Amino acid sequence: MLLPMEFARIKSLASPFLSWLPFVFALLTLVGCQAKKTYPSRPILLICPWAVGGGTDRLSREVAVFLEQELAVPVNVVNATGGAGVTGHSRGASARPDGYTLTMMTVELNMLHWRELTEISWKDFTPVMLINRDPAALFTRADENRWEDLNAIADDVRKNPGTLAASGTATGGIWHLALAGWLQAAGLKPDSIKWIPTNGAGPALQELVSGGVDLVCCSLPEARTLLAAGKVQPLGVMAESRVSGYPDVPTFQEQGINWAVGGWRGLGLPQETSQEIVNRLAEALLKIVTGQTLLNGKGFPWFMENEGFNLTWEPSDKFRRSLERADQELGSLLTSPEFSQVNVGRFQPMDFPKLLFGALAITLLALLVRFFSRGKSIAASAPTRLSGEGLIHFLEIVLAVAAFALLAEKLGFVLTAASIIFLLLWRLGTRIWVAAVVTLFVVPAVYGLFGNLLRVPLPRGILGW
Amino acid sequence: MDFLETSCGCHYREEYWDGELSEILLTALEQIFQWPVLGIIVISAAYGLFMGAIPGLTATMAVALLVPLTFFLEDVAALAAIVTLEACAIFAGDIPTALVRIPGTPSSAAYVDDAYALTRAGRQEEVLGIALLFSVAGGLFGAAVLITSAPWLAKIAFQFTSYEYFWLTLLGLSCAAVVSRGSLLKGALALIIGLLLSTVGLSEVHSSPRFTFAQDELIAGINFIPAMIGLFGVSEVLRNVLWFQNNFRTVVQEGFNQTLTAGRSLLNRLLFQPLRCVFATASDLLWRRKLHVLRSSIVGSFVGMLPGAGADIGAWISFALSKRFSKNPEEYGQGSLEGIGDATSANNSALAGAWIPALVFGIPGDSITAIVIGILLMKNIIPGPQIFTNETQSVLVYGIYITFILANLVLLPLGFLAIRGGSYLVRIPQPILLPVILLFSIVGAFAINGSYFDVWVMLGMGILGFVLEMNQVPLGPVVLGIILGGKLEQTFIQSLTKSDELWDFFARPVAGFLGATCVLVWCSPLLISLWRRRWQTSP
């Protein structure tokens, strides 16, 4: 219910915008005409759940370049990192199923839901193409020659359980799982080698070389540079057959242990994506993985080989079946009582925060003591008195940011940003025409700069921009 | 040399160092001093300056965007582009730090208060001139370290296990807390808040969720880039509007306009006078503080060389060293030119340091060198000791050396132009500037991960920053706490898991030294104040 007077006031407040409405409509119609095109007609977003510089990121960026070549639209990689892969996978699964959000899925997709970190599983995706499999391998320091082969380590562990330390990823990560699985297959307890959690294979290898741990479990490409430098020595690879590119590394099966596991990477779309779009992408990807798409005269397999990634591709149906099987395998291992024991380390997750809370309490106490002993000298000294207008401006800024976070996905970047900046300019006392000129200059400039030149995936909204 | 032959199982050919050196150097020079490659260097410098100057866009992102282009570039050109981009981007991070109080990189957060205070006094060109000149000096020193002693220094990186990293991380954090404006207790409070914020999300050690309240978004934790933009940028916008008068004020309040005093001739007005504005104080200060620059650059190169420790720790430690040994420590945090200079030279020298383990062993020193290793591998070059011995590949290594020097030289004129251009920003009236800053902040926070949650993080941190500043709690330690909290916890838990008793934390020589330094950093202010109090009361 609005009183007539209030309505009049709102109308007078709104009048500057009413004059812009025809332009907005004109723009909308223009864009609306462009929107009806065959897929893909605008930039595609490729979500990489891992950080810049890692293997998955590298692979994602290469696939993106080739896809760009094949589909003739920009393909932008975004690293939605954190949460051991939860963030990227869940964002990819819950994206609009219009084919414009692809996800580089990794092996963690089949592990996270078993560990109850997320609800998302492979069932939330339509698998498009598996691109790579990297089996786990076991490394030791090269200069020591401590063990001949796996059985020598196993004997060592049997004699003195709990003395050796291994690393490779966080506790409960894929390489930890691989190590525990091997120990189990060799008839040992999964926790008879101490697992030192690290933030990925790189830091773990660094610990290995500097003598911090005795073994590292990770994939062969991850250790490639240190292998070439002669600093680490592979003891075996957990694959069914030897890996191309590493013909000298024996498999675990050759050494009498029936255990194979590894990481994989593949592309997926949200579950409800139409078959037409899936087919279009699968067709493009098939051309890429078979080396038909050339970039500067070179195909995708050439890049994969150079970087030491194992190119193994599987089309949609086969990929789906492997996903289903791997999910069951990992699930039975992760939920087994032996492994769930391993996860309970000596130090609990809340130990560090507890320590911090303790420190916080001490600091606050000390501050309080000082406050009372010194009187009000350290109390806040606001420069001037607060004015009502200032408080309103303060709230307006907060609301502006909140409005962007809430509305941009639906309205698109251009409309949201333009209204926010125009309103703020106007509220801070800029003359209407100055505000309009600034808005018309800044918003398209930011959009062109970030959205096109720098390939930031700005929200596109229902209108497509 | 001996070390490489014995412990790497690889062999340096003797003749490589004697005869072929000049030949390889010449080939590398030839490959770089071609118009296309020089053109690429200038373009990447401009691109790096631009990316670095926009809050939220990082040098790492800029390099990642370059990756597809490197498919088409020659090896030398591709590496030259990355080196130049990186060297320019880290300086450019100082521009928004000084002008709008949003640190372009986490390492700029060490001196954001100083730089912004000087900008408000109308001395932004002086500050940025110092940042530029000291950055170039630090960058050149870092390059010299990389060129002369990469193989020997890389060996040190292998002395670092979780114990050493734990102490180093703690040292960086302690320096931030101790050195910040305000009291030690408030610095500690800020640090603890930052560390606590870093524990939100999935713990990297245990991969178990903490403080996530069953929200999928919180599981990723708090990203430091939106947090940094919020803490510094948004809180500043909030403060400005709260005490906002409806007149066309600019950021510079009591400023004096130096360029207006320019002479009559056009050349003088357009070139000499601005040059004097930007570089006069800077070159003078650089000459007076050459030894301090050396000290900061050594710290920077050393910290940068360690995988996982980076420019941010280097900048904070040098800033703390600078304050500790300064004649006017009271200026630090209020607008100390010395502190800004020392910290910027440290963060620039850290860049070249990160290439040392990357080239020698293929272990990335930071996220940019991680990308570089990927690019090298793609071009069928495997980083490692052999990269120095193989003829075609050592040309590439020399190419990197030369570009590091060139990049810093190109940075001088381009940086000058950027400073001149940027300085106009502070003359825009606040009613126009503040909304535009806010829009850039939002886009910057959103850009890093394409996530709306990050926009909320930015807003929350903006309000937190506002509240903390009202109570004179410094913000720098909060940011560093968020960045390094995970690393601290990890190395702490790793070390605890490995060790049997507390002594293990000090048992290794380097760890012992770093640990003792850490303890000293915390105790020295207490001891000094105790001593002073006794001294004051006893007579």
Side-chain angles (χ1 to χ4, degrees), chain A residues 26-173:
Chain A
L27 272 171
L28 292 189
T29 7
L30 262 176
V31 174
C33 291
Q34 284 184 331
K36 281 177 188 166
K37 271 186 186 167
T38 51
Y39 174 85
S41 63
R42 61 177 173 90
I44 293 176
L45 182 64
L46 175 56
I47 292 179
C48 166
W50 303 96
V52 173
T56 309
D57 175 66
R58 226 184 289 158
L59 189 70
S60 306
R61 284 176 197 278
E62 259 152 48
V63 171
V65 178
F66 276 94
L67 268 178
E68 208 168 297
Q69 174 96 342
E70 197 52 48
L71 299 172
V73 290
V75 179
N76 304 326
V77 177
V78 156
N79 302 85
T81 57
V86 170
T87 311
H89 285 114
S90 63
R91 202 188 297 169
S94 54
R96 227 176 292 159
D98 54 5
Y100 289 101
T101 313
L102 265 167
T103 310
M104 182 60 84
M105 306 184 291
T106 61
V107 62
E108 283 75 12
L109 178 62
N110 280 338
M111 301 168 58
L112 296 170
H113 69 103
W114 290 113
R115 291 170 45 210
E116 287 163 7
L117 292 175
T118 175
E119 305 271 295
I120 305 287
S121 74
W122 67 275
K123 289 176 192 138
D124 296 291
F125 284 98
T126 307
V128 183
M129 174 86 69
L130 176 87
I131 292 172
N132 144 270
R133 277 187 194 286
D134 278 320
L138 198 63
F139 298 92
T140 177
R141 269 184 299 280
D143 46 357
E144 289 177 5
N145 272 326
R146 272 169 89 181
W147 300 288
E148 284 270 298
D149 58 359
L150 292 174
N151 297 320
I153 307 180
D155 289 340
D156 225 4
V157 174
R158 200 163 287 129
K159 271 179 237 150
N160 316 300
T163 47
L164 290 182
S167 186
T169 182
T171 308

Side-chain angles (χ1 to χ4, degrees), chain B residues 146-165:
Chain B
L146 172 68
I147 293 167
T148 51
S149 32
W152 291 270
L153 281 175
K155 195 179 157 193
I156 298 178
F158 285 131
Q159 301 293 318
F160 271 63
T161 63
S162 59
Y163 296 113
E164 284 83 4
Y165 278 116

Side-chain angles (χ1 to χ4, degrees), chain B residues 331-349:
Chain B
E331 274 183 11
Y332 285 70
Q334 319 280 350
S336 163
L337 294 172
E338 302 171 357
I340 297 173
D342 285 358
T344 44
S345 46
N347 66 30
N348 274 57
S349 61

Side-chain angles (χ1 to χ4, degrees), chain A residues 13 16-17 19-20 422 426 429-439:
Chain A
L13 287 178
F17 316 111
S19 58
W20 290 99
F422 184 80
W426 173 63
T430 317
R431 260 168 284 176
I432 288 286
W433 69 269
V434 179
V437 169
V438 172
T439 308

Side-chain angles (χ1 to χ4, degrees), chain A residues 52 79 83-84 87 91 115 170-171 197 206-207 210 224-225 229 296 303 306 347 349 363 384 390 409 428 454 459, chain B residues 57 71 157-158 160 162 202 204-208 210 220 242-243 246 362 371 377-378 380 449-452 494 498:
Chain A
V52 173
N79 302 85
T87 311
R91 202 188 297 169
R115 291 170 45 210
T171 308
Q206 148 91 25
E207 279 282 323
S210 45
R224 187 161 175 234
T225 51
N296 210 17
F303 283 97
N306 263 350
F347 299 96
T363 318
T384 44
E409 186 62 25
L428 289 180
L454 303 177
Chain B
L57 299 185
F71 296 170
F158 285 131
F160 271 63
S162 59
L202 200 68
E204 276 169 359
V205 181
H206 300 87
S207 6
S208 65
R210 293 186 299 207
L242 192 56
W243 286 285
N246 244 349
I371 304 175
L377 287 173
M378 187 189 68
N380 215 357
N449 255 347
S451 144
Y452 295 100
Q494 278 167 16
K498 280 191 291 190

Side-chain angles (χ1 to χ4, degrees), chain A residues 229-259:
Chain A
K231 301 291 274 183
V232 299
Q233 182 199 342
L235 289 160
V237 57
M238 307 181 193
E240 268 118 34
S241 57
R242 292 200 179 195
V243 180
S244 73
Y246 305 90
D248 303 330
V249 185
T251 63
F252 272 46
Q253 270 174 354
E254 287 173 45
Q255 304 181 50
I257 295 148
N258 191 16
W259 174 240

Side-chain angles (χ1 to χ4, degrees), chain B residues 36 54 76 91 109 113 130 206 213 235 272 314 375 435 455 498-499:
Chain B
I54 295 181
V76 171
F91 157 71
D113 288 333
I130 285 171
H206 300 87
F213 311 105
S235 75
F272 297 136
I375 293 173
V455 178
K498 280 191 291 190
S499 62

Side-chain angles (χ1 to χ4, degrees), chain A residues 335-349:
Chain A
T335 49
S336 72
E338 290 87 359
F339 193 75
S340 48
Q341 262 184 349
V342 177
N343 263 328
V344 185
R346 237 168 96 191
F347 299 96
Q348 298 305 310

